[in-house]
Amino acid sequence: MITAEWHDADRTIIVHRHPEAWGLEDFKAAREESRQMIGSVDHRVDLILLNPGVHITTDMIYHAWESLSIYPEDTGFVVVDDYRVAPLIVNVFRKIHPETRHRVDYVRSIDEAVSSIYQMRRQK
């Protein structure tokens, strides 16, 4: 099961923590949970996807892409990964739809993810 939890006391960042094994239904459940969390506040919220791993299928890529339109337009997404899969997916998103450049990123640590989110917010 993928968990969704607040990263900070101000409720501005949600972290999705991915277990070793997860599937599409886990992804959809976590997405819905974080959408509800975002709906509970009246300010911008960004997401960190922590260690999604290599268990990504074509369907999951489609649903990840779909998430960009499901979440509010100002929501940023940062994938924390060891650079196996994340760069490929993020770069595809950026090439297909350049307007997502300011919304998606990939890094190697949660600290880098938080820094990336703050940088996205300054650019907006």
Side-chain angles (χ1 to χ4, degrees):
M1 178 166 112
I2 300 169
T3 61
E5 57 195 43
W6 291 110
H7 177 70
D8 57 338
D10 293 331
R11 295 182 170 192
T12 64
I13 299 172
I14 296 172
V15 176
H16 281 193
R17 295 184 187 277
H18 295 72
E20 183 73 24
W22 57 275
L24 185 55
E25 292 308 313
D26 297 315
F27 175 84
K28 289 179 179 180
R31 181 173 67 183
E32 184 55 34
E33 182 178 359
S34 62
R35 285 183 62 219
Q36 290 177 13
M37 293 166 73
I38 290 170
S40 73
V41 298
D42 62 357
H43 55 263
R44 176 181 174 155
V45 176
D46 299 291
L47 280 94
I48 296 173
L49 310 174
L50 186 59
N51 298 321
V54 296
H55 306 288
I56 296 176
T57 66
T58 304
D59 285 344
M60 291 176 190
I61 293 171
Y62 168 78
H63 288 284
W65 176 254
E66 181 184 57
S67 295
L68 290 174
S69 64
I70 290 174
Y71 287 101
E73 287 184 18
D74 62 349
T75 300
F77 302 86
V78 180
V79 180
V80 177
D81 191 62
D82 65 0
Y83 289 1
R84 292 178 288 178
V85 177
L88 172 66
I89 295 170
V90 168
N91 286 328
V92 167
F93 285 2
R94 288 175 174 170
K95 289 209 188 294
I96 293 173
H97 291 281
E99 70 275 10
T100 64
R101 286 186 180 277
H102 70 282
R103 292 186 67 191
V104 295
D105 197 7
Y106 59 88
V107 296
R108 289 189 164 198
S109 74
I110 198 157
D111 290 337
E112 289 177 38
V114 171
S115 293
S116 178
I117 286 170
Y118 290 145
Q119 185 176 20
M120 286 179 191
R121 291 176 183 173
R122 282 192 299 273
Q123 293 174 355
K124 192 76 175 137

